[in-house]
Short mmCIF file of all heavy atoms in Angstrom, two decimals:
data_model
loop_
_atom_site.label_atom_id
_atom_site.label_comp_id
_atom_site.label_asym_id
_atom_site.label_seq_id
_atom_site.Cartn_x
_atom_site.Cartn_y
_atom_site.Cartn_z
N PRO A 1 166.28 43.18 121.56
CA PRO A 1 167.59 43.70 121.12
C PRO A 1 168.77 42.97 121.76
O PRO A 1 169.82 42.83 121.13
CB PRO A 1 167.58 45.16 121.54
CG PRO A 1 166.15 45.52 121.63
CD PRO A 1 165.45 44.27 122.06
N ILE A 2 168.62 42.49 122.98
CA ILE A 2 169.70 41.73 123.61
C ILE A 2 169.94 40.44 122.84
O ILE A 2 171.08 40.07 122.56
CB ILE A 2 169.36 41.43 125.09
CG1 ILE A 2 169.32 42.72 125.89
CG2 ILE A 2 170.39 40.47 125.69
CD1 ILE A 2 168.86 42.56 127.31
N LEU A 3 168.87 39.77 122.45
CA LEU A 3 168.99 38.55 121.67
C LEU A 3 169.63 38.84 120.31
O LEU A 3 170.51 38.08 119.86
CB LEU A 3 167.62 37.90 121.49
CG LEU A 3 167.58 36.62 120.67
CD1 LEU A 3 168.36 35.52 121.37
CD2 LEU A 3 166.16 36.20 120.42
N ILE A 4 169.24 39.92 119.67
CA ILE A 4 169.83 40.28 118.38
C ILE A 4 171.32 40.59 118.55
O ILE A 4 172.14 40.21 117.70
CB ILE A 4 169.07 41.46 117.76
CG1 ILE A 4 167.65 41.04 117.39
CG2 ILE A 4 169.80 41.99 116.52
CD1 ILE A 4 166.77 42.18 116.97
N GLY A 5 171.69 41.27 119.62
CA GLY A 5 173.10 41.56 119.88
C GLY A 5 173.92 40.31 120.08
O GLY A 5 175.04 40.19 119.56
N VAL A 6 173.38 39.37 120.82
CA VAL A 6 174.09 38.10 121.04
C VAL A 6 174.23 37.34 119.72
O VAL A 6 175.29 36.76 119.44
CB VAL A 6 173.36 37.26 122.11
CG1 VAL A 6 173.92 35.85 122.17
CG2 VAL A 6 173.46 37.92 123.46
N ILE A 7 173.21 37.36 118.90
CA ILE A 7 173.28 36.70 117.59
C ILE A 7 174.36 37.36 116.73
O ILE A 7 175.11 36.67 116.03
CB ILE A 7 171.90 36.71 116.90
CG1 ILE A 7 170.96 35.76 117.62
CG2 ILE A 7 172.03 36.33 115.43
CD1 ILE A 7 169.52 35.85 117.15
N CYS A 8 174.47 38.69 116.78
CA CYS A 8 175.52 39.38 116.02
C CYS A 8 176.90 38.94 116.48
O CYS A 8 177.79 38.71 115.65
CB CYS A 8 175.38 40.89 116.18
SG CYS A 8 174.02 41.62 115.28
N PHE A 9 177.10 38.81 117.79
CA PHE A 9 178.41 38.36 118.30
C PHE A 9 178.71 36.93 117.85
O PHE A 9 179.84 36.62 117.46
CB PHE A 9 178.46 38.43 119.82
CG PHE A 9 178.49 39.83 120.35
CD1 PHE A 9 177.71 40.18 121.44
CD2 PHE A 9 179.28 40.80 119.78
CE1 PHE A 9 177.74 41.46 121.95
CE2 PHE A 9 179.32 42.09 120.27
CZ PHE A 9 178.54 42.42 121.36
N ILE A 10 177.71 36.06 117.90
CA ILE A 10 177.92 34.67 117.50
C ILE A 10 178.24 34.58 116.02
O ILE A 10 179.17 33.86 115.62
CB ILE A 10 176.69 33.82 117.87
CG1 ILE A 10 176.57 33.69 119.39
CG2 ILE A 10 176.76 32.44 117.22
CD1 ILE A 10 175.29 33.06 119.87
N VAL A 11 177.51 35.32 115.20
CA VAL A 11 177.76 35.27 113.75
C VAL A 11 179.14 35.82 113.41
O VAL A 11 179.85 35.26 112.58
CB VAL A 11 176.65 36.03 112.99
CG1 VAL A 11 177.02 36.23 111.53
CG2 VAL A 11 175.33 35.30 113.10
N SER A 12 179.54 36.90 114.06
CA SER A 12 180.87 37.46 113.79
C SER A 12 181.98 36.50 114.23
O SER A 12 183.04 36.45 113.61
CB SER A 12 181.05 38.81 114.46
OG SER A 12 181.12 38.68 115.86
N THR A 13 181.73 35.70 115.25
CA THR A 13 182.70 34.71 115.69
C THR A 13 182.75 33.53 114.73
O THR A 13 183.83 33.02 114.42
CB THR A 13 182.36 34.22 117.11
OG1 THR A 13 182.31 35.34 117.98
CG2 THR A 13 183.40 33.24 117.61
N VAL A 14 181.60 33.09 114.26
CA VAL A 14 181.53 31.93 113.37
C VAL A 14 182.18 32.25 112.02
O VAL A 14 182.90 31.43 111.46
CB VAL A 14 180.07 31.47 113.18
CG1 VAL A 14 179.94 30.47 112.06
CG2 VAL A 14 179.53 30.90 114.47
N ILE A 15 181.93 33.45 111.50
CA ILE A 15 182.52 33.83 110.22
C ILE A 15 184.04 33.90 110.35
O ILE A 15 184.76 33.47 109.47
CB ILE A 15 181.93 35.15 109.71
CG1 ILE A 15 180.47 34.94 109.32
CG2 ILE A 15 182.71 35.69 108.53
CD1 ILE A 15 179.75 36.19 108.89
N GLY A 16 184.50 34.41 111.46
CA GLY A 16 185.94 34.40 111.74
C GLY A 16 186.71 35.47 111.02
O GLY A 16 186.18 36.32 110.32
N SER A 17 188.03 35.41 111.20
CA SER A 17 188.92 36.36 110.57
C SER A 17 190.15 35.62 110.05
O SER A 17 190.40 34.47 110.41
CB SER A 17 189.35 37.44 111.58
OG SER A 17 189.99 36.84 112.67
N SER A 18 190.89 36.29 109.21
CA SER A 18 192.10 35.69 108.67
C SER A 18 193.16 36.78 108.52
O SER A 18 192.88 37.97 108.61
CB SER A 18 191.81 35.04 107.31
OG SER A 18 191.36 36.02 106.40
N ILE A 19 194.38 36.34 108.28
CA ILE A 19 195.48 37.27 108.09
C ILE A 19 195.89 37.21 106.63
O ILE A 19 196.15 36.14 106.09
CB ILE A 19 196.66 36.92 109.02
CG1 ILE A 19 196.20 37.03 110.47
CG2 ILE A 19 197.84 37.82 108.73
CD1 ILE A 19 197.25 36.65 111.48
N ALA A 20 195.94 38.37 105.99
CA ALA A 20 196.29 38.45 104.57
C ALA A 20 197.79 38.24 104.38
O ALA A 20 198.56 38.17 105.35
CB ALA A 20 195.86 39.80 104.01
N GLU A 21 198.20 38.15 103.14
CA GLU A 21 199.61 37.94 102.81
C GLU A 21 200.51 39.06 103.31
O GLU A 21 201.65 38.81 103.69
CB GLU A 21 199.77 37.80 101.29
CG GLU A 21 199.15 36.54 100.71
CD GLU A 21 199.90 35.29 101.10
OE1 GLU A 21 201.15 35.35 101.25
OE2 GLU A 21 199.25 34.25 101.28
N ASP A 22 199.98 40.30 103.32
CA ASP A 22 200.80 41.42 103.77
C ASP A 22 200.75 41.63 105.28
O ASP A 22 201.31 42.59 105.79
CB ASP A 22 200.39 42.71 103.04
CG ASP A 22 198.94 43.08 103.29
OD1 ASP A 22 198.20 42.26 103.86
OD2 ASP A 22 198.55 44.20 102.90
N GLY A 23 200.09 40.76 106.01
CA GLY A 23 200.06 40.82 107.46
C GLY A 23 198.91 41.59 108.06
O GLY A 23 198.85 41.78 109.28
N THR A 24 197.97 42.05 107.25
CA THR A 24 196.82 42.77 107.78
C THR A 24 195.71 41.80 108.16
O THR A 24 195.58 40.73 107.58
CB THR A 24 196.27 43.79 106.76
OG1 THR A 24 195.92 43.09 105.57
CG2 THR A 24 197.29 44.86 106.45
N LEU A 25 194.95 42.21 109.12
CA LEU A 25 193.83 41.39 109.59
C LEU A 25 192.62 41.62 108.69
O LEU A 25 192.20 42.76 108.48
CB LEU A 25 193.48 41.74 111.03
CG LEU A 25 192.33 40.98 111.68
CD1 LEU A 25 192.67 39.51 111.81
CD2 LEU A 25 192.01 41.56 113.03
N VAL A 26 192.06 40.55 108.17
CA VAL A 26 190.88 40.63 107.32
C VAL A 26 189.72 40.03 108.11
O VAL A 26 189.71 38.85 108.44
CB VAL A 26 191.08 39.85 106.01
CG1 VAL A 26 189.81 39.89 105.17
CG2 VAL A 26 192.26 40.39 105.25
N GLU A 27 188.77 40.90 108.44
CA GLU A 27 187.62 40.47 109.22
C GLU A 27 186.35 40.87 108.46
O GLU A 27 185.91 42.01 108.54
CB GLU A 27 187.65 41.11 110.60
CG GLU A 27 186.79 40.40 111.59
CD GLU A 27 187.15 40.76 113.02
OE1 GLU A 27 188.21 41.32 113.28
OE2 GLU A 27 186.32 40.46 113.88
N PRO A 28 185.75 39.93 107.72
CA PRO A 28 184.63 40.28 106.85
C PRO A 28 183.36 40.70 107.60
O PRO A 28 182.53 41.43 107.05
CB PRO A 28 184.39 39.02 106.03
CG PRO A 28 185.02 37.92 106.79
CD PRO A 28 186.12 38.53 107.60
N ALA A 29 183.18 40.28 108.82
CA ALA A 29 181.96 40.60 109.56
C ALA A 29 182.24 41.56 110.71
O ALA A 29 181.59 41.51 111.75
CB ALA A 29 181.33 39.32 110.08
N PHE A 30 183.19 42.48 110.51
CA PHE A 30 183.53 43.42 111.58
C PHE A 30 182.36 44.31 111.96
O PHE A 30 182.20 44.69 113.12
CB PHE A 30 184.73 44.28 111.18
CG PHE A 30 185.06 45.33 112.19
CD1 PHE A 30 185.68 44.99 113.38
CD2 PHE A 30 184.72 46.65 111.99
CE1 PHE A 30 185.97 45.94 114.33
CE2 PHE A 30 185.00 47.62 112.93
CZ PHE A 30 185.63 47.26 114.09
N PHE A 31 181.52 44.65 110.98
CA PHE A 31 180.39 45.55 111.25
C PHE A 31 179.41 44.97 112.26
O PHE A 31 178.64 45.71 112.88
CB PHE A 31 179.66 45.88 109.94
CG PHE A 31 178.97 44.70 109.32
CD1 PHE A 31 177.64 44.44 109.58
CD2 PHE A 31 179.65 43.83 108.48
CE1 PHE A 31 176.99 43.36 109.02
CE2 PHE A 31 179.02 42.74 107.91
CZ PHE A 31 177.69 42.50 108.17
N LEU A 32 179.42 43.65 112.46
CA LEU A 32 178.50 43.04 113.40
C LEU A 32 178.89 43.29 114.86
O LEU A 32 178.03 43.25 115.75
CB LEU A 32 178.41 41.53 113.16
CG LEU A 32 177.70 41.12 111.87
CD1 LEU A 32 177.82 39.61 111.68
CD2 LEU A 32 176.27 41.54 111.89
N ILE A 33 180.15 43.57 115.12
CA ILE A 33 180.60 43.78 116.50
C ILE A 33 180.02 45.07 117.08
O ILE A 33 179.39 45.04 118.14
CB ILE A 33 182.14 43.74 116.57
CG1 ILE A 33 182.62 42.34 116.18
CG2 ILE A 33 182.62 44.09 117.98
CD1 ILE A 33 184.12 42.23 115.99
N PRO A 34 180.17 46.24 116.43
CA PRO A 34 179.53 47.44 117.00
C PRO A 34 178.01 47.37 117.01
O PRO A 34 177.36 47.88 117.92
CB PRO A 34 180.03 48.59 116.13
CG PRO A 34 180.79 48.00 115.04
CD PRO A 34 181.01 46.56 115.29
N ILE A 35 177.43 46.73 116.00
CA ILE A 35 175.97 46.58 115.98
C ILE A 35 175.53 45.70 117.15
O ILE A 35 174.52 45.97 117.80
CB ILE A 35 175.50 45.99 114.63
CG1 ILE A 35 175.69 47.01 113.52
CG2 ILE A 35 174.05 45.54 114.70
CD1 ILE A 35 175.42 46.47 112.14
N GLY A 36 176.30 44.66 117.45
CA GLY A 36 175.99 43.79 118.58
C GLY A 36 176.04 44.54 119.90
O GLY A 36 175.15 44.40 120.75
N PHE A 37 177.10 45.35 120.09
CA PHE A 37 177.19 46.16 121.32
C PHE A 37 176.04 47.15 121.42
O PHE A 37 175.44 47.31 122.49
CB PHE A 37 178.52 46.92 121.37
CG PHE A 37 179.66 46.10 121.90
CD1 PHE A 37 180.74 45.82 121.09
CD2 PHE A 37 179.65 45.62 123.19
CE1 PHE A 37 181.80 45.07 121.57
CE2 PHE A 37 180.70 44.87 123.69
CZ PHE A 37 181.78 44.59 122.86
N LEU A 38 175.72 47.80 120.32
CA LEU A 38 174.63 48.78 120.32
C LEU A 38 173.30 48.12 120.68
O LEU A 38 172.57 48.62 121.54
CB LEU A 38 174.54 49.45 118.95
CG LEU A 38 173.46 50.51 118.79
CD1 LEU A 38 173.80 51.72 119.65
CD2 LEU A 38 173.33 50.90 117.34
N MET A 39 172.99 47.01 120.06
CA MET A 39 171.73 46.31 120.34
C MET A 39 171.69 45.80 121.78
O MET A 39 170.66 45.86 122.45
CB MET A 39 171.52 45.16 119.37
CG MET A 39 171.37 45.61 117.93
SD MET A 39 170.03 46.77 117.68
CE MET A 39 168.66 45.66 117.64
N PHE A 40 172.83 45.29 122.26
CA PHE A 40 172.89 44.77 123.63
C PHE A 40 172.60 45.87 124.64
O PHE A 40 171.79 45.70 125.55
CB PHE A 40 174.27 44.15 123.87
CG PHE A 40 174.38 43.37 125.14
CD1 PHE A 40 173.82 42.11 125.25
CD2 PHE A 40 175.04 43.90 126.23
CE1 PHE A 40 173.92 41.40 126.43
CE2 PHE A 40 175.15 43.20 127.40
CZ PHE A 40 174.59 41.94 127.51
N PHE A 41 173.23 47.03 124.47
CA PHE A 41 173.02 48.12 125.42
C PHE A 41 171.64 48.75 125.28
O PHE A 41 171.06 49.18 126.28
CB PHE A 41 174.13 49.16 125.30
CG PHE A 41 175.44 48.68 125.85
CD1 PHE A 41 176.56 48.64 125.06
CD2 PHE A 41 175.54 48.24 127.15
CE1 PHE A 41 177.77 48.19 125.55
CE2 PHE A 41 176.74 47.78 127.67
CZ PHE A 41 177.86 47.76 126.86
N ILE A 42 171.10 48.81 124.07
CA ILE A 42 169.73 49.29 123.90
C ILE A 42 168.76 48.38 124.65
O ILE A 42 167.82 48.84 125.31
CB ILE A 42 169.37 49.39 122.41
CG1 ILE A 42 170.06 50.58 121.78
CG2 ILE A 42 167.86 49.50 122.21
CD1 ILE A 42 169.92 50.65 120.27
N GLY A 43 168.97 47.07 124.56
CA GLY A 43 168.12 46.12 125.27
C GLY A 43 168.21 46.26 126.77
O GLY A 43 167.20 46.23 127.47
N ILE A 44 169.42 46.44 127.27
CA ILE A 44 169.59 46.59 128.73
C ILE A 44 168.93 47.87 129.22
O ILE A 44 168.24 47.87 130.24
CB ILE A 44 171.09 46.56 129.09
CG1 ILE A 44 171.64 45.20 128.78
CG2 ILE A 44 171.32 47.02 130.50
CD1 ILE A 44 172.65 44.62 129.68
N ILE A 45 169.14 48.96 128.48
CA ILE A 45 168.54 50.24 128.89
C ILE A 45 167.01 50.15 128.85
O ILE A 45 166.33 50.64 129.76
CB ILE A 45 169.07 51.38 128.01
CG1 ILE A 45 170.53 51.65 128.35
CG2 ILE A 45 168.24 52.64 128.17
CD1 ILE A 45 171.23 52.58 127.40
N SER A 46 166.47 49.52 127.82
CA SER A 46 165.00 49.42 127.74
C SER A 46 164.44 48.53 128.84
O SER A 46 163.39 48.83 129.39
CB SER A 46 164.57 48.93 126.36
OG SER A 46 165.05 47.63 126.12
N LEU A 47 165.13 47.44 129.17
CA LEU A 47 164.66 46.59 130.27
C LEU A 47 164.69 47.33 131.60
O LEU A 47 163.75 47.22 132.41
CB LEU A 47 165.50 45.32 130.36
CG LEU A 47 165.14 44.21 129.40
CD1 LEU A 47 166.14 43.07 129.53
CD2 LEU A 47 163.74 43.71 129.63
#
């Protein structure tokens, strides 16, 4: 799970984010950030 969490962080960084015309932040891979944290902490707790 730690490895999966790190991969989620890397993928969310590679996909990146952009700013829309109206000034809002568009982040297509935002769901990977909480999943990455969850997997990382599950791995640490299990270890």
Side-chain angles (χ1 to χ4, degrees):
I2 294 174
L3 179 64
I4 293 171
V6 170
I7 289 171
C8 286
F9 290 137
I10 291 171
V11 169
S12 69
T13 303
V14 169
I15 291 176
S17 59
S18 61
I19 299 177
E21 292 290 327
D22 61 350
T24 58
L25 180 65
V26 177
E27 199 162 345
F30 176 74
F31 66 94
L32 290 174
I33 296 170
I35 291 173
F37 277 117
L38 181 68
M39 296 303 280
F40 190 76
F41 288 122
I42 286 172
I44 294 217
I45 289 170
S46 63
L47 279 175

